Amino acid sequence: MTDFRARLLASVEAGLSVPEIRPLLVEQLEGGMKREDLYQEVLDTMFFLRAEGRDDDEDAVADVADMFSNWVLPEYRL
């Protein structure tokens, strides 16, 4: 498990909202991670949670993944 995935999971398990989790993703991007790679890591985290049957956590990570789309307000997009 990557450090990012562990931190993302900890944030989700702590019940943080998408706006509260967003700085974690921004940190990764500012650290040099490509946007596409970060998005794939978020998707991989969703698949990991799905395989473990953790539906609620998977849904929360799916909400985080929405920041890469036009489904969120412009100020939350990555």
Side-chain angles (χ1 to χ4, degrees):
M1 179 179 306
T2 65
D3 178 60
F4 168 76
R5 183 178 297 178
R7 292 174 64 197
L8 176 58
L9 289 173
S11 298
V12 167
E13 290 166 357
L16 297 181
S17 67
V18 171
E20 292 171 316
I21 295 173
R22 188 177 186 279
L24 173 62
L25 280 75
V26 170
E27 174 187 306
Q28 298 300 306
L29 293 171
E30 289 176 349
M33 183 178 260
K34 292 181 182 178
R35 184 178 186 277
E36 297 81 16
D37 294 339
L38 182 57
Y39 181 62
Q40 187 61 55
E41 184 68 27
V42 172
L43 293 179
D44 290 345
T45 302
M46 287 173 48
F47 299 141
F48 168 80
L49 292 167
R50 183 177 300 157
E52 295 216 334
R54 295 170 57 184
D55 296 337
D56 291 340
D57 289 339
E58 180 188 352
D59 289 344
V61 174
D63 291 341
V64 171
D66 284 345
M67 287 191 287
F68 292 91
S69 71
N70 291 332
W71 290 100
V72 296
L73 296 171
E75 59 265 25
Y76 294 120
R77 289 184 199 145
L78 295 170

